[in-house]
């Protein structure tokens, strides 16, 4: 996600952002919006302009052709293919500055920057829907949703921006989820559905299996029975053996999954938190209460770990009617 603004004589003359994969980059959109007012202007951009031919020509050449005199870049492009744009601009006399609003720009594309330096696992977001007393399931079974419709719409927006959505076998049995992005924003590629299912017990009649031929669905199991593997494969599900969670995450990274969203249930959430594998924790908290018999994703975690979660840096907080969404940065420092 990249944005650009062109300023001349203290006035914004053009703005743009990268709307869709394969379409014009933010810099090109902003330059077109500025029209004939680009000469001697300053461009502000959240990511270093690309310097290569990909789906589109190099942004650096368009900036030079527009006679932009200064480019202010929030973050360098860490990839070998697209990087080097700043040096190219400087070689042709454009003044280049780095680091303005760098922290915000890094957060905007955190999975992208993480993937550039980490081949062991994807960037991991854990999403939890909790009651006011910190629980995540209704033991009576009467209440399917803890959060309201507006919160669920926001979850769909988040889903549309990840590469894969994961749950445990317990959630598959309890909720029979679809794990698809069904909001107003349509993903370029449907997120892969992932189930951590040690014995490959995902029901053949589940929605995940019945739709596996149209939406990529992967199960990670530990020495699953041959018959179960065959039945799932015949239904279009990819079943892979993984010794543990670390092995499964490594395999997902090998599948070019850069951003994994983990949605449940409580035991799977505990495992990710206990292993320190969560980069961003998103909690949607509703005003309802579920009582002491309901499960909590924080049950059984050590006090230092729980304290670390409570004290984590807050990235964002927003209200969705009576629900409150809070995004925490875990694993820092």
């Amino acid at each position: 996600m990249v944005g650009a603004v062109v300023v001349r004589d203290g006035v914004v003359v053009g703005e743009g952002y990268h709307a869709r994969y394969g379409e014009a980059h933010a810099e090109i959109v902003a330059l077109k919006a500025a029209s004939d007012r680009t000469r001697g202007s300053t461009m502000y951009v959240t990511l270093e302009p690309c310097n290569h031919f990909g789906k589109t020509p190099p942004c650096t050449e368009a900036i030079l052709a527009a006679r932009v005199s200064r480019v202010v870049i929030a973050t360098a492009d860490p990839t070998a293919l697209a990087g080097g744009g700043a040096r190219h601009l400087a070689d042709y006399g454009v003044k280049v500055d780095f680091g303005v609003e760098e922290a915000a720009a890094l957060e905007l594309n955190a999975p992208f920057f993480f993937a550039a330096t980490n081949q062991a696992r994807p960037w991991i977001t854990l999403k939890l829907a909790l009651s006011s007393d910190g629980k995540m399931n209704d033991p009576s079974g009467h209440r399917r949703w803890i959060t309201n419709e507006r919160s669920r719409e926001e979850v769909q927006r988040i889903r549309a921006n990840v590469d894969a959505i994961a749950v445990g076998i317990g959630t598959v049995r309890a909720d029979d989820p679809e794990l698809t992005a069904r909001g107003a924003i349509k993903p370029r590629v449907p997120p892969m559905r992932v189930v951590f299912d040690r014995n490959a017990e995902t029901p053949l009649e589940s929605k995940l299996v019945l739709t596996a031929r149209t939406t990529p669905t992967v199960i990670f199991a530990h020495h699953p029975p041959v018959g179960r593997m065959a039945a799932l494969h015949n239904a279009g599900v990819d079943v892979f053996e993984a010794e543990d969670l670390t092995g499964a995450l490594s395999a997902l990274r090998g599948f070019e999954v850069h951003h994994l969203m983990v949605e449940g249930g409580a035991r799977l959430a505990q495992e990710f938190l206990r292993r320190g594998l969560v980069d961003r924790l998103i909690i949607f908290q509703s005003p309802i209460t579920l009582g002491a018999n309901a499960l909590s994703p924080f049950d059984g975690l050590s006090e230092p770990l729980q304290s670390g979660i409570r004290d984590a840096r807050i990235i964002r907080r927003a209200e969705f009617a009576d629900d409150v969404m809070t995004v925490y940065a875990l694993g820092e420092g």
Side-chain angles (χ1 to χ4, degrees), residues 180-196:
T180 53
R182 302 183 297 277
I185 299 176
K186 303 302 179 185
R188 178 175 63 88
V189 177
M192 177 188 296
R193 286 103 54 96
V194 178
V195 183
F196 296 104

Side-chain angles (χ1 to χ4, degrees), residues 189-319:
V189 177
M192 177 188 296
R193 286 103 54 96
V194 178
V195 183
F196 296 104
D197 178 7
R198 185 175 183 82
N199 297 311
E201 295 172 338
T202 298
L204 298 178
E205 65 275 13
S206 66
K207 292 175 183 176
L208 292 176
V209 174
L210 293 176
T211 58
R213 295 194 183 281
T214 57
T215 304
T217 306
V218 171
I219 289 175
F220 285 103
H222 182 69
H223 302 313
V226 174
R228 288 295 300 170
M229 286 186 66
L232 289 164
H233 275 301
N234 288 339
V237 178
D238 291 317
V239 182
F240 297 96
E241 291 191 47
E243 290 295 322
D244 53 19
L245 188 56
T246 301
L249 294 176
S250 177
L252 286 172
R253 183 66 183 83
F255 301 156
E256 294 300 311
V257 171
H258 293 174
H259 189 179
L260 174 67
M261 182 176 178
V262 179
E263 292 206 15
R267 292 184 179 85
L268 185 64
Q270 291 164 8
E271 187 67 12
F272 271 86
L273 289 168
R274 189 176 292 112
R275 289 173 175 258
L277 294 171
V278 178
D279 299 294
R280 294 294 179 266
L281 171 63
I282 304 179
I283 294 179
F284 288 86
Q285 194 150 31
S286 79
I288 69 169
T289 58
L290 292 176
N293 292 331
L295 292 175
S296 166
F298 308 118
D299 287 344
L301 298 181
S302 67
E303 178 51 37
L305 181 52
Q306 292 193 42
S307 178
I309 294 171
R310 288 193 297 267
D311 296 338
R313 179 169 61 96
I314 294 176
I315 299 294
R316 183 186 173 207
R317 180 169 278 151
E319 294 183 2

Side-chain angles (χ1 to χ4, degrees), residues 29-243:
V29 178
L31 290 172
K32 287 183 177 178
S35 187
D36 59 355
R37 296 168 290 178
T38 58
R39 181 183 290 271
S41 65
T42 296
M43 172 179 283
Y44 298 86
V45 62
T46 56
L47 182 68
E48 181 180 9
C50 67
N51 193 40
H52 75 295
F53 282 90
K55 292 288 184 180
T56 61
C59 290
T60 51
E61 297 305 321
I63 293 169
L64 293 172
R67 299 295 189 267
V68 173
S69 62
R70 181 184 178 216
V71 177
V72 180
I73 302 168
T75 57
D77 191 317
T79 62
L81 178 63
R87 179 179 298 178
H88 183 71
L89 291 172
D91 287 343
Y92 282 85
V94 177
K95 179 175 172 51
V96 177
D97 292 301
F98 270 104
V100 176
E101 293 290 345
E102 182 178 26
L106 289 171
E107 182 63 30
L108 180 67
N109 289 302
F112 165 74
F113 291 107
F114 185 83
T117 58
N118 192 307
Q119 301 297 316
R121 66 170 178 86
W123 176 267
I124 296 170
T125 295
L126 172 62
K127 188 274 294 182
L128 301 174
L130 302 181
S131 61
S132 62
D133 51 348
K135 308 296 184 177
M136 65 180 298
N137 74 309
D138 183 357
S140 70
H142 295 151
R143 188 188 299 272
R144 180 180 182 187
W145 304 110
I146 295 175
T147 53
N148 62 39
E149 185 175 349
R150 286 186 56 193
S151 290
R152 297 197 295 274
E153 289 173 356
E154 176 65 8
V155 170
Q156 295 298 333
R157 187 194 68 79
I158 297 170
R159 282 182 174 184
N161 288 282
V162 304
D163 299 314
I165 305 166
V167 294
I169 180 59
T171 297
V172 174
R173 287 176 173 148
D175 299 338
D176 192 19
E178 295 179 61
L179 301 185
T180 53
R182 302 183 297 277
I185 299 176
K186 303 302 179 185
R188 178 175 63 88
V189 177
M192 177 188 296
R193 286 103 54 96
V194 178
V195 183
F196 296 104
D197 178 7
R198 185 175 183 82
N199 297 311
E201 295 172 338
T202 298
L204 298 178
E205 65 275 13
S206 66
K207 292 175 183 176
L208 292 176
V209 174
L210 293 176
T211 58
R213 295 194 183 281
T214 57
T215 304
T217 306
V218 171
I219 289 175
F220 285 103
H222 182 69
H223 302 313
V226 174
R228 288 295 300 170
M229 286 186 66
L232 289 164
H233 275 301
N234 288 339
V237 178
D238 291 317
V239 182
F240 297 96
E241 291 191 47
E243 290 295 322

